[in-house]
Amino acid sequence: MRLLVVGKLNGQLSVAVKMAMNAGAKVSHVESAEQATNALRAGQGADLLMVDYALDIASLIAANEAERMRVPVVACGVDADPMRAAAAIKAGAKEFIPLPPDAELIAAVLAAVADDDKPMVVRDPAMEQVIKLADQVAPSEASILITGESGSGKEVMARYVHGKSRRAKAPFISVNCAAIPENLLESELFGHEKGAFTGAMARRIGKFEEADGGTLLLDEISEMDVRLQAKLLRAIQEREIDRVGGSRPVKVNIRILATSNRDLAQAVKDGTFREDLLYRLNVVNLRLPPLRERPADVISLCEFFVKKYSAANGMAEKPISAEAKRRLIAHRWPGNVRELENAMHRAVLLSTGAEIEEFAIRLPDGQQMASAPSPDAAVARGAQMAADAVSRTFVGSTVAEVEQKLIIDTLEHCLGNRTHAANILGISIRTLRNKLKEYGDAGIPVPPPQGGIGAAA
């Protein structure tokens, strides 16, 4: 985590800085609020500001937000004056740290405000296969497209890939393309020069330059306007960007990761996403299965969230009751891991017994989660659903036709990437190529290969 300390480094603040560094923070320092805004504007980057409460915190936050630099603030001060501490919180600070500092308090505040504690919790074989592929490609410089339903953990996967890469000690910068208005996203990505447009009071370094040497995550890339996609494509290809209003290109050294919860191949057909940009981003595809397709992960994730939110709320950690576990596993979780996390946060707060009871597991509308079906009924229903699916899909087909459909469908899912498709199918790349040659010779359409790792036919 990157921590920017704002204020004069007297004795107690210096001690707090050392404690923050011991807690894993990368610390930089400026003395005034104006210098803090200038540092962020210049691309220094910070995940958290620790500000002396003697400074004008309200003005600092307002100046940063005027340029869309939203960095959380914690206030600190010696011999804490309750009135001034309360004023700092009212001004927008998330927390207050009294000085002389306490090492455990500083570590807890850093963790709570930065919310970096998002490990990859995996038990299900479906996700273990994705992790295996992620481990294989993380050390490379290849662009990776991470796909999956909303709430399935795409940003967590992106951070995992960054952490396993050769750039792990460099910045990880995330831009939510869906959350930033179209007319502001270009400046957010590429930066701007003073006077480039109304309100551009000074040069602003964009996320590409802020991520220099590290990883840039383009979250929900499918929401980017087609016109801006052309400029993004050039930046990825040439590894240089043009600031808005700039007169010369700026070289950048970054690795690109992108996420999408939409079918980008369909978006290409619809004309809302550039095909050449898709090829550049999708050198490797990591598809995250929805939570309903990885039931073995559910209880492990629940236990992780119970531990996290018990600590965050100062409550004793409780085990999850057997009936609650049955209901958790049986639920389909349309909101995926994000919905599960919120449900367990509520459960920690609502539970009244020695265990987290089933009635504490509530849906977003406040209703209790439905009872789980009996094991025999669940098995029978699952078997019937599987049999119906097979009947609808394969009955009346030969084994060769079923094999052909499976291979072609898997290759389409991988957008032509032969190596990825072979890994999913559990066959060698040579076997896959031989099959595809047979299909091609027979006049059967085969998804064309893309450029990048393992794409050649």
Side-chain angles (χ1 to χ4, degrees), residues 190-432:
F190 305 118
H192 61 254
E193 297 290 349
K194 181 179 179 180
F197 51 83
T198 303
M201 306 302 294
R203 170 186 285 179
R204 165 83 185 277
I205 297 302
K207 298 302 184 182
F208 265 80
E209 289 181 81
E210 188 177 336
D212 193 39
T215 301
L216 177 64
L217 171 62
L218 301 172
D219 198 16
E220 300 303 347
I221 185 70
S222 56
E223 305 308 310
M224 181 179 291
D225 183 77
V226 174
R227 290 170 295 179
L228 185 54
Q229 289 175 26
K231 188 167 185 179
L232 174 62
L233 177 64
R234 178 182 176 275
I236 295 173
Q237 289 179 158
E238 305 298 331
R239 288 297 190 262
E240 64 180 27
I241 56 101
D242 295 303
R243 298 192 193 112
V244 178
S247 58
R248 63 180 63 181
V250 179
K251 289 288 184 182
V252 290
N253 170 26
I254 59 174
R255 187 203 194 159
I256 298 290
L257 306 179
T259 73
S260 177
N261 61 11
R262 291 174 53 196
D263 183 348
L264 290 184
Q266 184 60 48
V268 168
K269 294 177 183 177
D270 295 340
T272 60
F273 202 83
R274 291 179 63 110
E275 186 175 28
D276 47 6
L277 178 57
L278 176 57
Y279 289 161
R280 282 289 176 181
L281 294 172
N282 193 47
V283 176
V284 178
N285 180 268
L286 296 177
R287 176 192 173 273
L288 302 191
L291 192 56
R292 62 184 173 275
E293 293 180 10
R294 42 183 166 125
D297 284 346
V298 171
I299 298 304
S300 294
L301 285 164
C302 288
E303 291 171 345
F304 169 77
F305 292 133
V306 167
K307 182 176 182 179
K308 174 181 177 179
Y309 288 111
S310 295
N313 290 284
M315 303 171 70
E317 184 181 342
K318 299 177 183 178
I320 304 171
S321 73
E323 177 58 26
K325 286 182 179 180
R326 283 192 287 271
R327 296 192 184 194
L328 289 163
I329 293 172
H331 190 63
R332 287 187 58 78
W333 301 109
N336 292 296
V337 180
R338 186 179 296 124
E339 181 188 359
L340 177 67
E341 178 174 4
N342 290 338
M344 297 317 297
H345 193 173
R346 283 193 296 272
V348 167
L349 300 176
L350 297 177
S351 175
T352 58
E355 295 181 310
I356 292 181
E357 313 89 343
E358 65 274 12
F359 67 77
I361 313 292
R362 294 182 178 268
L363 301 176
D365 62 2
Q367 296 296 312
Q368 290 188 32
M369 191 169 289
S371 299
S374 68
D376 289 343
V379 170
R381 186 171 62 183
Q384 185 60 50
M385 290 172 62
D388 290 345
V390 170
S391 177
R392 288 192 302 270
T393 306
F394 296 129
V395 170
S397 302
T398 66
V399 172
E401 288 170 339
V402 171
E403 179 186 65
Q404 174 191 309
K405 178 173 174 53
L406 179 61
I407 289 175
I408 296 298
D409 287 353
T410 303
L411 196 58
E412 287 179 349
H413 167 73
C414 297
L415 300 176
N417 189 300
R418 271 56 174 164
T419 299
H420 192 181
N423 287 338
I424 292 175
L425 292 164
I427 61 177
S428 70
I429 188 69
R430 175 177 294 181
T431 298
L432 177 61

Side-chain angles (χ1 to χ4, degrees), residues 131-142:
I131 293 293
K132 183 179 179 181
L133 181 58
D135 289 340
Q136 182 179 344
V137 300
S140 73
E141 290 298 302

Side-chain angles (χ1 to χ4, degrees), residues 23-96:
K26 297 178 181 178
V27 180
S28 53
H29 168 250
V30 295
E31 291 195 351
S32 70
E34 182 180 1
Q35 289 172 336
T37 299
N38 288 339
L40 296 175
R41 188 187 292 136
Q44 178 174 313
D47 301 307
L48 181 66
L49 303 183
M50 182 184 291
V51 184
D52 186 339
Y53 73 167
L55 300 178
D56 189 342
I57 290 177
S59 295
L60 169 61
I61 293 174
N64 291 345
E65 292 193 345
E67 299 189 42
R68 304 181 307 283
M69 299 183 297
R70 296 179 176 87
V71 183
V73 170
V74 295
C76 60
V78 179
D79 299 327
D81 180 334
M83 296 298 292
R84 294 175 70 183
I89 298 295
K90 290 180 181 178
K94 301 293 184 184
E95 297 284 352
F96 178 79

Side-chain angles (χ1 to χ4, degrees), residues 68 180-188 197 225 227-228 244:
R68 304 181 307 283
I180 302 173
E182 175 188 331
N183 61 327
L184 300 178
L185 184 56
E186 181 177 3
S187 171
E188 191 74 14
F197 51 83
D225 183 77
R227 290 170 295 179
L228 185 54
V244 178

